[in-house]
Amino acid sequence: MTYETIRLERRGRVAVVTLDRPKALNALNTALLGELSAALGELGRDEGIGAIVITGSEKAFAAGADIKEMQPLGFADAYLGDFAGGWDQVAATRKPMIAAVAGFALGGGCELAMMCDFIIAADTAKFGQPEITLGVLPGMGGTQRMARSIGKAKTMDLCLTGRMMDAEEAERCGLVARVVPAGDLLETAIAAAEKIAGFSLPATLMVKEAVNRAFETSLAEGLRFERRQFHSTFALDDQSEGMAAFVEKRPAQFRHR
Ligand code: HXC
């Protein structure tokens, strides 16, 4: 399938999805959402893909939802059309997904990065939820995922003032997993994705599901869920292979990768 607002590249077991609306700083419009959902659906069905990197340009990961597309909407359009509801499908991607962020990740751009499993940021990255400056509030998870990720104080600060934070502050508060020099961003993210994609695919999916469960449930239920998932890995050839390889002092060759 060919796309107009994104680029999709396969590098072995890793897929790189590049947001590609340079004239609008990768603003997230309906066409881009449709294409990103289609691409993630395609990658989800492809057993040859074990991890996905989502990235943008040097200047912008994405400068938010497309303001020019939103401007003419009235309440009925937004509500009846469930504007931005389709992003839930992006967030529901089951395969591990890394956001590689350089430049602006604002509004919906920051929210898309937070839908990924972790963020690797270039030292040029700037994160923010500036919706308040437009007379609205975040609508793709900004108040929710950010509060769960970095806590109440900074989430309130960012969402109420609309200010941007740089990569160093984002790493300090835990929004970002790693910060790297801008020139190393994509290769670092791809290397991390390759590492993940080399492991057992069912096991990496279970890790993702279990960590995400931590944000949905009590500790006791989360622990029970994790342990049952752990038990279920003993039904996988990959568990036999992984443990045999350790004992035999050789690299594991995971069947389901
Ligand atoms: C549409 C956008 C855009 C956006 C930038 N552009 N951001 N178009 N939607 N979110 C366009 C500009 O209009 C301009 O096009 C071109 O991209 C370059 O942008 P400039 O402003 O000229 O660049 P610069 O001076 O470098 O400033 C960069 C910037 C600024 C600081 C990122 O563009 C900015 O403040 N953008 C808006 C950020 C924002 O408010 N994001 C939140 C959106 S609301 P033209 O054709 O004019 O030259 C949101 C809601 C999410 O995300 C929830 C949805 C449900």
Side-chain angles (χ1 to χ4, degrees), residues 13 46-47 49-51 95-96 196-197 199-206 238 254 256-257:
R13 292 183 52 77
D46 184 346
E47 281 213 13
I49 293 297
K95 288 187 178 166
I196 294 166
F199 294 131
S200 164
L201 183 58
T204 59
L205 262 60
M206 284 186 203
D238 288 343
F254 292 114
H256 293 104
R257 290 292 188 115

Side-chain angles (χ1 to χ4, degrees), residues 14 51 53 98 118 120 178 187-197:
V14 170
V53 173
I98 300 172
F118 61 95
I120 300 180
R178 314 182 199 174
E187 289 317 313
T188 305
I190 289 172
E194 277 169 349
K195 182 98 183 155
I196 294 166

Side-chain angles (χ1 to χ4, degrees), residues 21-28 59 63-70 83-84 87 104 106-109 111 129-131 133-134 136-140 164:
R21 297 190 66 216
K23 287 185 185 144
L25 300 185
N26 294 331
L28 307 169
K59 178 155 189 201
D66 192 314
I67 300 169
K68 291 166 191 168
E69 186 180 67
M70 289 187 288
F83 187 78
W87 288 99
F104 298 111
L106 303 177
E111 291 169 303
Q129 297 293 157
E131 288 89 344
T133 67
L134 300 167
V136 295
L137 74 158
M140 289 161 48
M164 294 185 212

Side-chain angles (χ1 to χ4, degrees), residues 137-152:
L137 74 158
M140 289 161 48
T143 64
Q144 301 302 299
R145 287 198 181 88
M146 187 175 278
R148 283 164 172 76
S149 169
I150 65 175
K152 177 177 170 181

Side-chain angles (χ1 to χ4, degrees), residues 25 59-64 67 101-110 123-134 146 150 154-173 175-176:
L25 300 185
K59 178 155 189 201
F61 177 74
I67 300 169
V101 175
F104 298 111
L106 303 177
C110 186
D123 49 11
T124 58
K126 289 198 181 323
F127 298 87
Q129 297 293 157
E131 288 89 344
I132 197 70
T133 67
L134 300 167
M146 187 175 278
I150 65 175
K154 267 212 196 289
T155 301
M156 287 288 192
D157 178 2
L158 291 170
C159 292
L160 285 173
T161 69
R163 78 174 175 91
M164 294 185 212
M165 70 177 169
D166 63 16
E168 193 194 319
E169 182 180 357
E171 186 183 34
R172 207 164 54 234
C173 70
L175 184 70
V176 157

